Amino acid sequence: MRNIVIVDPASTGYNYVQDVISRGFNPIVLQSTIDESTEEGKEFKKMVEDDIESIEHDFEWIHEEDTYEKTLEIIKGYEPLLVIPGAEQGVVLATKLANDLDVLCNPIENLDAMTLKHEMHNRLAKHNLRHIRGQVITSVEEAVKFYDEENLNEVVVKPVYSAGSTGVRICLNKDEMIKSIKELSTKTNLYGNRLSKLLVQERINGEEYFVNTVSCDGNHRVTLIWKYRKVKTAEGGMIYDTIETVNELNLGEAEMVEYAYKVADAIGIRYGPVHGEYMIDDDGPVLIEVNCRPSGCHMDADYLDRISGQHETDSVLDSYLKPERFHEEKKKRYRLYAHGALKLLITPKDLLADSAPLRNISIKLKSHYKTALDDTFDTKEFIKTEDLESSSGIIYLVNEDYFELTKDIEFLRKVEKMAFDLVLSEKSIDKIEIDETECISKTKSLMSKIENYGTTLLVTDQKLDDAHVQVNLDELDGIQGKYDCIVVNLNKSLVEIKEEEIARIFLEIFTKVKVGGLIFVPESTYQNIKSKRRGMEALLKTLNLRLELPPQGVDGIIIASKT
């Protein structure tokens, strides 16, 4: 009885393996079968396998057999103490196995309410809890009939079974609903299964949250509360912008937690996690959906520990293995040690990228914890962001100071909207023509204007006869000390360098300025990066340098200071 089976430990659920080992048990990873008949299914299987392969611990890895009976017999041979799901696609298999093996788990009769988006609301209705009106449909005609009979206005169309925001559409009227249903009927859910059935629900307008709870023998406690900020696409999809921790309860949020406990009771949750998504509007809280597994977004145990002194998968194991600790934690007040946020990156269009400059930029932020960006560029096409899964990456932020955290979030939003080439640099075939004579002339003119400002470092492609200390890129590493002024005249040396490396170079150059010193970047330099002037300004702001007002008559020169 030293084995614990984890079905599909993907995303944040990958923390289970380390936690099981830390408690002196043996983790057995069971990967469920995924339909590979579609490209979506193949991609999802690869994502799960990549997550499992990223786990830096020893564990036994087995696969679901072609029949449930065979899988059950294999798992029975391990005599597991527990069988738990690590991600949404593992909930059904884990629950069935745990029930048949008679280990601690949620009752099998609650499985539909735990996984099917319409059944969970049917269960709430039976328990006289606020729920969302909805109808499972298989045709446009059925949807229109429900829409008219219920006198609906705005609705949400979504898969009956899926995860994330894949296939979720907000429709502001009947025509948008019809269009969304026709579109989604040709698509698949997150797991590659065709959407033969869809759920049409009335739309609730309010503030959206997720509440993570853990249950022990029907007793529930909150581990962490997060708040979403989403934006709607022109097609009606919902895109995640940020997810931020709720460190102190605001109006209506305590009521939401009370409601979340009642939701867990109504669904029939006895053990383990619930990642519940909720909306608060003028009428109070209402469930969007429950997911009976750890939270998503690949949150490291260390990242969560820095925020709240605990991480969800470890707290889940307490609910099964250490009920006395669960109850001690339940007595504690909700207190967090730091503010956490995830900035999910929004790709504005389909593009082929050759580098990700943001990797070198984000690490300079005061709140930076981790940057997760795809690093495969040779054949990778980044698609326009339409849901959680098509986000081009995540920046994980954590800071004890909420002001600093929000400052970093706003900076990332500005870069994303105004200088996206600093997030993902699109491949370009345009040839940049450089007039070296003009570059030299303008640089000499600038140098003459600042000669009385103090020690000056000129980083240049073209040597000047009468300049102060001047170096090219190859000589930059040898520069010691700080300067009162830095002038950057780089052009031809940038042409063959990828934007990711260009970002690193400029951030290194800018560190050479003294406190109180100035940096000058002329147009002849910043025009050679893809994001032009705004991109260069973003690089300066990355290091908390201050953009200065341009003097009248001095055009095309970015001036920044170190304060």
Side-chain angles (χ1 to χ4, degrees), residues 70-340:
K70 289 181 182 178
T71 304
L72 176 60
E73 284 304 309
I74 289 173
I75 299 303
K76 190 181 293 184
Y78 286 100
E79 298 182 352
L81 179 62
L82 297 173
V83 181
I84 53 179
E88 185 66 29
Q89 75 276 8
V91 172
V92 172
L93 181 57
T95 304
K96 288 181 177 179
L97 290 170
N99 274 269
D100 286 336
L101 294 170
D102 197 27
V103 297
L104 291 177
C105 63
N106 293 304
I108 194 69
E109 59 265 25
N110 297 326
L111 186 55
D112 282 353
M114 292 165 56
T115 56
L116 302 180
K117 300 182 192 304
H118 61 294
E119 289 295 347
M120 52 191 70
H121 283 275
N122 291 340
R123 189 67 70 89
L124 297 186
K126 289 178 181 178
H127 285 76
N128 296 315
L129 293 174
R130 187 183 177 196
H131 58 285
I132 299 176
R133 289 180 292 163
Q135 178 71 49
V136 176
I137 59 98
T138 58
S139 67
V140 169
E141 291 74 20
E142 290 178 0
V144 170
K145 181 181 178 183
F146 172 70
Y147 185 96
D148 290 339
E149 288 179 349
E150 294 294 325
N151 194 28
L152 297 173
N153 186 12
E154 297 181 4
V155 296
V156 177
V157 180
K158 62 172 69 172
V160 170
Y161 176 64
S162 189
S165 60
T166 299
V168 178
R169 297 289 184 270
I170 288 180
C171 310
L172 302 182
N173 51 55
K174 186 191 297 185
D175 289 340
E176 286 191 12
M177 178 189 73
I178 293 171
K179 179 182 177 182
S180 294
I181 291 170
K182 289 179 177 179
E183 177 207 351
L184 291 172
S185 64
T186 66
K187 295 184 178 295
T188 68
N189 66 8
L190 181 64
Y191 316 120
N193 308 126
R194 294 292 179 188
L195 297 178
S196 58
K197 294 181 180 180
L198 292 168
L199 176 61
V200 178
Q201 291 180 313
E202 62 173 326
R203 184 190 179 192
I204 306 297
N205 286 288
E207 296 184 309
E208 192 171 352
Y209 300 79
F210 67 81
V211 180
N212 291 333
T213 59
V214 173
S215 303
C216 176
D217 196 22
N219 295 284
H220 319 298
R221 78 171 183 89
V222 170
T223 55
L224 206 52
I225 305 170
W226 298 75
K227 188 174 183 179
Y228 288 116
R229 182 182 185 275
K230 294 183 180 181
V231 293
K232 184 185 175 186
T233 68
E235 297 77 18
M238 290 306 293
I239 297 176
Y240 292 76
D241 174 37
T242 58
I243 309 173
E244 298 181 44
T245 55
V246 174
N247 290 52
E248 185 174 340
L249 296 183
N250 211 324
L251 303 183
E253 292 168 356
E255 183 184 3
M256 174 180 65
V257 172
E258 292 177 3
Y259 174 76
Y261 295 146
K262 294 174 183 177
V263 167
D265 286 336
I267 300 297
I269 302 301
R270 303 297 300 170
Y271 285 95
V274 172
H275 168 73
E277 301 190 352
Y278 298 88
M279 193 81 78
I280 298 178
D281 65 3
D282 291 342
D283 295 324
V286 65
L287 177 74
I288 304 300
E289 61 184 63
V290 295
N291 301 276
C292 301
R293 41 72 175 174
S295 184
C297 291
H298 296 79
M299 297 191 221
D300 296 343
D302 176 65
Y303 176 68
L304 294 170
D305 286 345
R306 284 183 57 182
I307 293 170
S308 65
Q310 63 178 335
H311 57 276
E312 189 179 5
T313 51
D314 196 44
S315 298
V316 170
L317 291 176
D318 278 344
S319 73
Y320 288 105
L321 304 174
K322 295 287 185 182
E324 64 281 2
R325 177 170 168 77
F326 170 90
H327 289 290
E328 285 300 313
E329 292 294 321
K330 187 180 177 185
K331 295 176 186 177
K332 295 180 180 179
R333 297 176 183 176
Y334 181 74
R335 295 289 187 272
L336 304 184
Y337 297 107
H339 299 268

Side-chain angles (χ1 to χ4, degrees), residues 1-4 18-27 321:
M1 298 289 287
R2 303 303 298 176
N3 294 320
I4 293 178
Q18 176 184 341
D19 294 334
V20 168
I21 293 172
S22 297
R23 291 169 181 261
F25 295 92
N26 303 315
L321 304 174

Side-chain angles (χ1 to χ4, degrees), residues 281-520:
D281 65 3
D282 291 342
D283 295 324
V286 65
L287 177 74
I288 304 300
E289 61 184 63
V290 295
N291 301 276
C292 301
R293 41 72 175 174
S295 184
C297 291
H298 296 79
M299 297 191 221
D300 296 343
D302 176 65
Y303 176 68
L304 294 170
D305 286 345
R306 284 183 57 182
I307 293 170
S308 65
Q310 63 178 335
H311 57 276
E312 189 179 5
T313 51
D314 196 44
S315 298
V316 170
L317 291 176
D318 278 344
S319 73
Y320 288 105
L321 304 174
K322 295 287 185 182
E324 64 281 2
R325 177 170 168 77
F326 170 90
H327 289 290
E328 285 300 313
E329 292 294 321
K330 187 180 177 185
K331 295 176 186 177
K332 295 180 180 179
R333 297 176 183 176
Y334 181 74
R335 295 289 187 272
L336 304 184
Y337 297 107
H339 299 268
L342 278 59
K343 176 66 186 85
L344 295 102
L345 301 173
I346 300 171
T347 306
K349 63 179 182 178
D350 293 351
L351 59 88
L352 286 171
D354 60 8
S355 68
L358 195 59
R359 270 203 292 257
N360 286 329
I361 295 170
S362 59
I363 59 175
K364 304 293 186 180
L365 301 177
K366 289 183 178 180
S367 307
H368 181 264
Y369 173 80
K370 183 176 75 171
T371 297
L373 277 168
D374 197 318
D375 58 0
T376 306
F377 294 104
D378 292 339
T379 59
K380 174 73 174 180
E381 181 180 8
F382 290 85
I383 63 172
K384 179 181 178 180
T385 301
E386 295 181 341
D387 48 40
L388 177 61
E389 283 64 43
S390 53
S391 170
S392 52
I394 302 176
I395 310 297
Y396 297 80
L397 305 169
V398 60
N399 203 311
E400 291 77 14
D401 187 334
Y402 184 63
F403 173 78
E404 291 295 342
L405 183 86
T406 55
K407 184 176 169 184
D408 288 343
I409 291 172
E410 286 304 316
F411 171 74
L412 290 169
R413 285 182 181 141
K414 291 278 188 186
V415 171
E416 184 181 66
K417 292 178 181 178
M418 302 179 72
F420 190 78
D421 273 305
L422 290 183
V423 179
L424 293 172
S425 175
E426 191 169 11
K427 287 185 178 180
S428 175
I429 58 173
D430 296 334
K431 186 176 180 181
I432 299 175
E433 299 292 338
I434 295 170
D435 187 334
E436 293 190 42
T437 301
E438 183 180 3
C439 290
I440 292 173
S441 174
K442 289 185 175 181
T443 302
K444 284 183 175 180
S445 174
L446 177 58
M447 295 295 290
S448 66
K449 293 176 182 178
I450 64 171
E451 61 183 7
N452 295 324
Y453 281 29
T455 57
T456 302
L457 172 66
L458 171 63
V459 184
T460 180
D461 286 338
Q462 294 89 22
K463 293 284 187 177
L464 274 62
D465 295 334
D466 53 352
H468 295 72
V469 178
Q470 52 185 308
V471 294
N472 58 35
L473 287 184
D474 293 334
E475 300 166 328
L476 186 62
D477 289 341
I479 290 294
Q480 303 296 321
K482 306 282 186 178
Y483 290 80
D484 295 302
C485 287
I486 293 176
V487 177
V488 187
N489 170 45
L490 294 177
N491 37 75
K492 63 182 180 181
S493 62
L494 303 179
V495 173
E496 300 299 327
I497 302 176
K498 291 185 176 181
E499 295 290 302
E500 187 170 331
E501 177 63 10
I502 289 175
R504 187 200 66 77
I505 288 169
F506 276 103
L507 291 174
E508 175 63 21
I509 291 171
F510 299 154
T511 63
K512 306 296 183 182
V513 69
K514 286 181 180 179
V515 173
L518 293 168
I519 296 171
F520 298 87

